[in-house]
Structures are given as C-alpha cells and as structure tokens.
Amino acid sequence: MLRPHPAVLRRLVDEYEALAAAEAARGPAELNPRARDLAYTLCVSTGTRDVKRALEAAHQWLAAAPAPVRETAAPTAGQRMPTPEPA
C-alpha cells in the first residue's frame, strides 16, 4: 500500500484535529464540510473506513517516519555557492 508523505499526512492530521477540537468546544453538531473532507482523505490515505482508526494509523506512521530533513538556506547576495568536488 502506498503511504502519503509524512509532511502531507501531518498537515491533514493537524488540520482535522484542530477543526474537531473547535467543533467539540461549540457542542454537538454536524461536522463542517472541510472536516468531513479531511476525515475522508485521512481514511483513504490510511486504508481505513473510520476516522478514529485513520487517526490512529496516521499517528503510528508519523511516529515511525524519519525526521524531516532541514533545508539549507540559499546563499545571500555576495556569498558564493560551494564548488562541487569532481567525481
């Protein structure tokens, strides 16, 4: 099974959990369309049919994912890029 990129999965989980928490604070009501879309996408992405199971799977996958690679800053004006070593 293909898995989503950890950064994409993290963004989906964070956004869904934020919306769910905000809606829970307002009281019982139907999920807004964005929350329903996120729940569906999480289920498809994790191969599950229930958003609770999707979140469990997503959290497990994210815990096992390698740490994100930090991008280096681009050289500023006046700085030279390093010359690559010949092969």
Side-chain angles (χ1 to χ4, degrees):
M1 174 179 174
L2 294 176
R3 290 189 181 187
H5 189 278
V8 173
L9 189 59
R10 168 56 53 206
R11 186 173 38 90
L12 290 170
V13 169
D14 289 347
E15 188 176 352
Y16 178 82
E17 288 178 341
L19 283 173
E23 290 181 1
R26 281 188 243 130
E30 189 174 317
L31 286 177
N32 74 31
R34 179 64 182 153
R36 280 196 315 266
D37 289 346
L38 288 166
Y40 174 81
T41 304
L42 283 164
C43 288
V44 170
S45 298
T46 58
T48 61
R49 293 185 176 202
D50 176 69
V51 73
K52 289 180 184 176
R53 287 191 177 132
L55 288 169
E56 290 170 2
H59 283 291
Q60 288 176 354
W61 292 356
L62 290 169
V69 176
R70 291 185 59 201
E71 293 184 25
T72 59
T76 58
Q79 287 183 330
R80 296 182 59 189
M81 293 185 65
T83 306
E85 294 289 325

